[in-house]
Amino acid sequence: MKVIQSRNLTKFYGKTAALNDLTFEIEENTITGLIGRNGAGKTTLLKIMAGHIQPTQGELLVYSQKPFNNLERSASTILIDDSMTYPDSFRLVDILSEVAPFYGNWNGSLANGLLKYFSFNPNQPHSNLSKGSKSTFNSIIGIASRCPLTLFDEPTTGMDSAIRKDFYKALLKDYLEYPRTIILSSHLLNELEEILEEILLIKQGSKFLHLPVMELKELAVGIRGNAKTLQPFVEGKELIYKEEFAKDNLYVVLRKELLQQEVEVIKQKGLEVFPISTDDLCVHLTASNRGGIDNVFKKD
């Protein structure tokens, strides 16, 4: 079943396009990583999914309905981000008590268990929490709500490494017990990829690719070595990334399918062939300059 259906989705802020002709679909009961650089349009897309804002052109449907001003969709969708605010007088226990009636699948015992695990004082005001603690508490709400559509926008902002790992474990364990559609926007793909099933990569508001994580891992390969030796193997091929990392040495990234049967020959020539991490690949794919920062320092 299609939970999200986006057709030619476009969103303008003034004359600036945050989203541009974005078309994709997301299946039910999957964990999808929404990946892209700052300003790519990730937050805008999540806000449209949550019904917080309307598109300028095109449409996005959630369970075949437009989410904006839709009470039925609002009751089954939650967006967790760092803009969540609560009355200054509310303690953490008060917040959990107040949000519970809004979500039909709310699991209070899970929320309290996570609150205790992460060493929160339930009588502490939310306004007194550090940035990382606010992110952790908000994420507890996101997990415990068990909404059919759960959206996380950079949920681990400010969390330390240990807390982030525990958050991912808690999210995955509850997802396996209670499947739903989860979309995570994050810059930390290297941490997320073990729990993700699909990647939606957007660049400057447009879809760049949308595919299973396992396919992304096999998409590209890196080659490094003497530039003259390497050049014949990449001549005429579209490079994802190219960098001169030492004198007369070259590093390139290209789609694995373009090499066909050449890999063994390349290795015999003394060139190094190695897999590319999903995180590095997404960085290379969304770069505006294929030569990276080194191009700034090139002499004319």
Side-chain angles (χ1 to χ4, degrees), residues 1-177:
M1 180 181 181
K2 305 286 192 281
V3 174
I4 305 290
Q5 294 173 292
S6 175
R7 295 285 181 270
N8 308 117
L9 185 68
T10 299
K11 177 64 178 179
F12 280 94
Y13 293 109
K15 295 183 178 180
T16 302
L19 299 175
N20 183 25
D21 200 31
L22 190 58
T23 297
F24 66 93
E25 294 179 341
I26 292 180
E27 296 284 344
E28 187 177 36
N29 298 338
T30 56
I31 303 181
T32 300
L34 178 58
I35 308 300
R37 298 198 174 201
N38 286 338
K42 302 187 300 298
T43 295
T44 295
L45 179 56
L46 291 175
K47 287 182 176 180
I48 292 176
M49 291 180 183
H52 293 184
I53 58 176
Q54 297 187 79
T56 305
Q57 299 171 11
E59 69 174 6
L60 182 139
L61 303 179
V62 177
Y63 291 102
S64 302
Q65 297 178 3
K66 293 183 179 180
F68 187 74
N69 277 348
N70 187 323
L71 291 178
E72 182 181 355
R73 293 279 57 86
S74 296
S76 60
T77 303
I78 189 169
L79 171 59
I80 302 298
D81 61 17
D82 60 8
S83 67
M84 299 174 71
T85 57
Y86 308 95
D88 290 341
S89 61
F90 271 34
R91 303 168 300 165
L92 303 185
V93 67
D94 298 326
I95 296 171
L96 294 183
S97 176
E98 291 297 323
V99 301
F102 287 93
Y103 303 108
N105 300 327
W106 178 262
N107 188 318
S109 62
L110 175 60
N112 289 320
L114 290 171
L115 199 71
K116 182 177 180 180
Y117 177 82
F118 288 112
S119 302
F120 283 104
N121 175 356
N123 293 312
Q124 183 177 11
H126 183 271
S127 58
N128 288 353
L129 296 178
S130 67
K131 187 175 185 63
S133 293
K134 285 181 179 178
S135 293
T136 304
F137 179 77
N138 293 343
S139 295
I140 289 174
I141 293 176
I143 295 173
S145 69
R146 289 184 166 179
C147 279
L149 177 59
T150 300
L151 311 171
F152 289 97
D153 189 8
E154 299 287 351
T156 59
T157 300
M159 294 184 192
D160 62 37
S161 177
I163 299 296
R164 292 199 304 270
K165 290 178 181 178
D166 280 338
F167 162 68
Y168 300 138
K169 289 179 182 178
L171 182 63
L172 181 59
K173 285 180 71 68
D174 199 58
Y175 168 77
L176 294 174
E177 180 180 339

